[in-house]
Every structure is written in C-alpha cells, then in structure tokens.
Amino acid sequence: MSWDKIIIGAGLYGLYCARFCGLRGERVLVLEADSGAFCRATYINQARVHMGYHYPRSYSTAVKSAGYFRRFLDDYGFCVHTSFDQVYATSAAYSWTNAAEFRRFCAAAGIRCDDVPPSRYFNPGLCDGAFLTEEYTYDAQVLKEYFLKELAALPNVRVQYGAPVTAIEQKATHFELTAGGARYESGFVVNAAYAGVNTILQMLGYEPFGIKYELCEIILCTVSERLRDVGITVMDGPFFSIMPFGKTGLHSLTSVTFTPHSTSYEATPHFACQQKEGALCRGGLLGNCDDCPHKPRSAWDYMSQLARKYLREEYGFAYQRSLFSMKPILKASEIDDSRPTVIRTFSKAPTFVSVLSGKINTVYDMEEVLADGGE
C-alpha cells in the first residue's frame, strides 16, 4: 500500500509530523513498534519544557530552547504545569559553572534569573547561588491524548501499532518497508525512532549518527508539602534534579551520575540485559526498557542520598516507582553538554529524513523539511 509519507515512531516528533502533513491533505502512515503512542522517551524523561537554563556551556542550545519556549506554551499550554517555582542552583564544589557565570549566561541568553538565598532550599555551604527561573514541565499523557484525538479526526492519517520496522529497501522512486508482517511503500520516509534511529539507518546502509546510548532511570516520588510547588536543579556537574512530573502530582528525581545505569558507544545499543531477553530485544530491534523484566535495580539509594545531602530537611520526598528508557546522546555533545536537534536528509526523490532530538519544544524544526520535501 502506498502513502505520501511514512513516519517511523509514534513519539512526539512522529505524531507532530503526522498531524502537520495530515493537515496538508497528505496520506500519512505512522509505524510504531509498541502497543501505543508515547510509550518510551516522550513519556519517560524529566518532562522539562526547556527555556535553556540547563545548557550554560552551550549558548546555541540555550538560545534555541528559549526561542521555541513561548510557541510551545501557546500551542500546548493545556498540558503544561506552570504553577510551581523552578529553582536552579550552582554547587559550591565540583561544578563547571559558578553563580556569577550562571548570571552572565542568563543575561546573555535573555532569560529570567532572579537571585534567591541558597539557605532557603539548601544546607549551609553547599550552593554558592540559587535562582528563581521560568521553566515548566509538560504532562506526556495529556499531550498524547491531544494528538491522538487530532489524528483520529484526519481520515488520511493512520497510526499502526505493534509494527516494528524489520526491513527497508530503496527503489528508484520509493522506499518499501516491512513492518508488523505487512509491506508499505512511500516516496518520503521520516525516521523519528529516537533510540532506534541508527537501527533504521543501518537497514539502508546509511551512515549512522555518532551516538552514545544510556540506559536511564527516572524515579517518581511523592513529596512533602514544602516541596510540592517547587522544582530544584543543582548544576553544572554531578548533581541532581527533583521537579514536578507534569500534572501527575508526583516529582521526578534524576541525577547526572546515577540516572544512567549503563552506557554503550556502539552504533546501535548493546547491553548485557539484551542477552537475557531475546524476545524483547532481538537483533537490532530495541525493546521498551520499561517493560523489560531484566531492567536494572533502582539507583534510589544513591540518588536520594545525593539530593538529601543538599536539600534542607523540610523538602522531603519518598520513592514511588521507577521508569526506564534508552537515551541516545550525540558523542560530539559530550564536549560542551549541547543538545542540538539534528535533522539529516539521506536521500532525495525518494526522500529519507532522520531526526534526533531530546527536547520537545524544538519539534517545530521539522516543519520546513516536511513542507519543502526534505531540503
């Protein structure tokens, strides 16, 4: 069956592309390996709507994030949790950025940065600066329901679940894909598979992205009344974040050191747990880590100990559950902690485009490539 565009992956980037093209009257097919949308990284992350504070060593990433921040709020404010104080702090030790440098960075980026006494949140001597900022979190489940409702109203768009792509062939005028036992074809394919992006590229013999893969844990916590309306991030180094997880009433707890459990530097991810669960992770096809019976033991003890070292006692929190996902990071980003959105066109007529991005509010970068046929 032939489609104007086939999109691989039903995360935010995949569904955004489907809606964008569907509204233009194009016949669109979304192929998703899981049984539903937003089952992996779009849901299992810190849920930040980035304003750029997280990237004091990458001015370009900060400016790009801030540039799309308002637009994302205008378009999807219904899923964004805004009624809390987002506090960034610089550690007095082992940090790449001190308080004065963070102030200068925020001023250069044109983003809010109001000094607050570190003693309000932190134990004595641990942070040399604390700042009230403007940054929010999104609720992935609310956003998912919006997109699914929008796509359901478009008869020219179909989302096929339980359809991992197992083969792709490039013909003279189109691509032929095998997914879920069926064959499909299109002259325009968008690879929005995120952690599976290189697996798809290798099927076609295209050069993979230079990626390292991290098997990551996001811990969801219940919190004390004092912490309920506060999000806290200590940076820039081996520290932690604890912040509202969308509109769920829970907080996510993460740590630069302990959130990644394992790392793979190969073109496609290879981890010891894959050898134990051949049915879930077979060949180059990456299963959903959150469903895996062999996922790692929680790093709660280490993460909570680190956070409690910094936070005053009244900002209490308790373990509720863990979420696991695979996170791909460009190897080049390790130098300056940048997180660029990379969109690469590998073929024209027929067109094959791959996207790799870890920030939701840069999804708008896809519009030009979709409208212009991959230019």
Side-chain angles (χ1 to χ4, degrees):
M1 188 172 185
S2 182
W3 300 81
D4 294 324
K5 285 189 173 72
I6 292 178
I7 298 164
I8 303 170
L12 174 61
Y13 276 73
L15 296 193
Y16 184 89
C17 291
R19 179 177 181 272
F20 180 85
C21 296
L23 289 172
R24 290 160 51 88
E26 298 177 52
R27 297 183 67 254
V28 181
L29 172 67
V30 180
L31 297 173
E32 170 54 50
D34 287 328
S35 59
F38 285 26
C39 288
R40 305 197 191 193
T42 300
Y43 167 57
I44 304 173
N45 63 79
Q46 289 181 321
R48 287 183 197 268
V49 183
H50 278 281
M51 178 60 112
Y53 298 102
H54 221 56
Y55 306 105
R57 288 180 283 124
S58 178
Y59 182 75
S60 61
T61 304
V63 170
K64 173 63 77 69
S65 298
Y68 283 137
F69 181 80
R70 295 295 173 197
R71 181 176 176 185
F72 190 88
L73 291 183
D74 288 343
D75 290 347
Y76 307 111
F78 56 85
C79 76
V80 178
H81 178 27
T82 62
S83 55
F84 68 98
D85 291 336
Q86 184 73 305
V87 176
Y88 274 77
T90 49
S91 179
Y94 308 112
S95 179
W96 290 95
T97 305
N98 61 34
E101 290 168 336
F102 189 73
R103 290 187 195 96
R104 287 195 294 269
F105 158 75
C106 291
I111 54 181
R112 179 185 178 186
C113 176
D114 299 339
D115 277 83
V116 295
S119 59
R120 182 180 300 174
Y121 304 101
F122 304 105
N123 290 320
L126 292 179
C127 291
D128 67 351
F131 311 92
L132 186 62
T133 65
E134 185 180 14
E135 193 173 70
Y136 308 126
T137 66
Y138 73 96
D139 194 302
Q141 299 305 320
V142 176
L143 188 59
K144 177 185 74 174
E145 292 306 316
Y146 166 80
F147 272 101
L148 293 181
K149 183 178 179 180
E150 289 284 302
L151 295 179
L154 295 172
N156 50 320
V157 176
R158 173 179 158 194
V159 182
Q160 184 69 43
Y161 299 114
V165 176
T166 53
I168 309 179
E169 294 181 69
Q170 183 171 350
K171 305 296 186 179
T173 61
H174 63 276
F175 292 91
E176 290 186 0
L177 296 84
T178 302
R183 292 181 67 84
Y184 308 95
E185 63 180 51
S186 176
F188 196 124
V189 176
V190 178
N191 177 14
Y194 195 52
V197 64
N198 277 351
T199 297
I200 302 298
L201 292 177
Q202 288 187 332
M203 291 180 186
L204 288 163
Y206 293 152
E207 181 181 358
F209 289 101
I211 291 173
K212 76 168 184 177
Y213 299 87
E214 294 180 340
L215 175 53
C216 293
E217 177 186 13
I218 306 292
I219 296 179
L220 301 184
C221 303
T222 56
V223 299
S224 66
E225 189 63 32
R226 192 73 179 269
L227 187 55
R228 187 173 308 279
D229 296 325
V230 179
I232 293 174
T233 297
V234 178
M235 57 181 321
D236 170 28
F239 309 118
F240 72 97
S241 292
I242 185 163
M243 52 190 285
F245 189 63
K247 297 186 175 185
T248 64
L250 301 173
H251 274 45
S252 66
L253 174 64
T254 56
S255 158
V256 171
T257 303
F258 302 116
T259 285
H261 281 258
S262 304
T263 303
S264 171
Y265 286 89
E266 299 174 73
T268 55
H270 288 81
F271 292 89
C273 53
Q274 292 174 294
Q275 307 306 315
K276 302 175 183 177
E277 189 54 53
L280 187 64
C281 289
R282 58 191 188 279
L285 299 178
L286 182 68
N288 189 330
C289 297
D290 203 47
D291 295 335
C292 181
H294 304 292
K295 51 181 172 272
R297 178 184 175 185
S298 176
W300 161 254
D301 290 343
Y302 302 105
M303 285 199 223
S304 59
Q305 183 179 21
L306 175 62
R308 286 179 175 134
K309 171 185 173 182
Y310 278 84
L311 292 174
R312 291 171 59 97
E313 187 176 359
E314 57 264 36
Y315 295 98
F317 54 95
Y319 182 89
Q320 206 229 31
R321 62 192 175 102
S322 295
L323 303 171
F324 290 86
S325 69
M326 192 68 67
K327 180 179 180 180
I329 300 172
L330 289 170
K331 292 177 182 178
S333 296
E334 294 186 81
I335 299 172
D336 60 1
D337 200 37
S338 62
R339 292 294 184 269
T341 295
V342 180
I343 302 171
R344 191 174 297 168
T345 301
F346 289 85
S347 172
K348 287 286 297 177
T351 300
F352 189 94
V353 177
S354 284
V355 56
L356 183 66
S357 178
K359 299 185 299 301
I360 61 163
N361 43 322
T362 55
V363 68
Y364 301 109
D365 283 341
M366 292 302 298
E367 293 181 354
E368 185 175 356
V369 71
L370 293 170
D372 294 343
E375 293 291 348

